[in-house]
Amino acid sequence: MVSATDLVKSTSDQLEAAAAANAAQISAAADLLLGVIRADALIFTAGAGHSLAAVAETFYRAGGLACVYPLYHPELLPLHGAQHSTRTERRSGLAEEVLAERAPGPDDVLVVFSTSGVNPYPVELASGARRRGAAVIAVTSRACVAAAPRRSATTLAEEGTVVLDSLVIPGDASYPADAPRTGPLSTVVNAFLWNLILAEVYDRGTAEGLDVPLWRSSNVEGGDAANAALLAKYEPRVPALR
């Protein structure tokens, strides 16, 4: 019989391990994001397939940063064609098409989520951003990178300025422990690592007197009013906010 207690414990253990393993990298990522806020620049976020769940977590989200520009192509979303989305992220050249529309510059940061970290789209996004002078935060799994077939000249981990390791095992599934077939963890861990970065950005930013631009929920009293100023500031720069 499936034990919810076992799955809760294994997931909790995974999050604790990821937090401990990435303590220095979380601080380094927060440094980069604080630099963006100080420069009044933008944080670009990107992913493909189910890693787009992490991108959605970064964008226009209660408690999230308002200075986020999501890089996106509809063919990368499984809801628009599951098998096609897999073929799309393996297509070399798409990243440059996306960056041609809007690319991060030297004051910006690109955050790329990709558990396998080997497909052309996330790898070429990272390398393209670095060529343009932007720092890259890579959120990936080193174990998955090591196990995955190479489809690019480099990997996302090699292209990252700062690399956060989700510690997700190859295949992503986590349950049952002796022969994992379900209970994928990458989405949970990615969101958790992002929230740890946000917490550090908030603590350190407010301590130095920065106005950290955070969205409020539109479903609480005063939320719409609080967000109006952020929309006025960032909507001209982030078309997806319209």
Side-chain angles (χ1 to χ4, degrees):
M1 183 176 181
V2 174
S3 169
T5 301
D6 289 346
L7 187 57
V8 168
K9 185 178 187 310
S10 65
T11 302
S12 176
D13 289 347
Q14 179 85 16
L15 296 180
E16 288 185 11
N22 290 286
Q25 291 82 1
I26 289 165
S27 183
D31 283 339
L32 292 176
L33 299 195
L34 285 166
V36 169
I37 295 169
R38 294 186 195 103
D40 192 22
L42 293 173
I43 300 160
F44 290 73
T45 61
H50 285 92
S51 290
L52 284 168
V55 177
E57 186 69 15
T58 69
F59 179 65
Y60 193 55
R61 200 237 188 278
L65 287 166
C67 51
V68 169
Y69 189 116
L71 291 174
Y72 175 67
H73 191 287
E75 292 182 46
L76 293 164
L77 182 66
L79 293 175
H80 294 164
Q83 295 177 68
H84 184 68
S85 72
T86 297
R87 291 191 294 269
T88 299
E89 69 175 303
R90 293 180 180 179
R91 191 172 86 215
S92 182
L94 178 62
E96 199 56 38
E97 292 178 28
V98 171
L99 290 172
E101 293 184 12
R102 182 70 165 86
D107 289 331
D108 304 312
V109 168
L110 171 64
V111 184
V112 183
F113 298 91
S114 176
T115 298
S116 65
V118 297
N119 286 321
Y121 179 71
V123 174
E124 292 174 10
L125 270 183
S127 62
R130 289 184 62 183
R131 284 197 307 274
R132 291 165 170 85
V136 175
I137 298 171
V139 185
T140 187
S141 161
R142 292 188 184 277
C144 290
V145 171
R150 289 292 179 271
R151 298 191 179 95
S152 302
T154 60
T155 67
L156 180 57
E158 292 173 277
E159 296 291 346
T161 309
V162 174
V163 181
L164 278 75
D165 186 352
S166 67
L167 305 181
V168 168
I169 64 173
D172 205 350
S174 67
Y175 189 90
D178 56 348
R181 293 287 294 162
T182 189
L185 287 180
S186 60
T187 301
V188 176
V189 180
N190 286 345
F192 178 65
L193 290 172
W194 179 248
N195 280 335
L196 290 177
I197 296 169
L198 291 183
E200 184 157 341
V201 166
Y202 177 78
D203 285 346
R204 290 170 54 188
T206 53
E208 68 175 74
L210 278 180
D211 182 12
V212 180
L214 295 170
W215 296 112
R216 294 274 303 277
S217 171
S218 59
N219 297 309
V220 299
E221 190 68 31
D224 286 341
N227 291 336
L230 294 174
L231 286 168
K233 178 176 182 178
Y234 291 109
E235 185 178 330
R237 300 159 64 186
V238 183
L241 286 172
R242 295 170 187 161

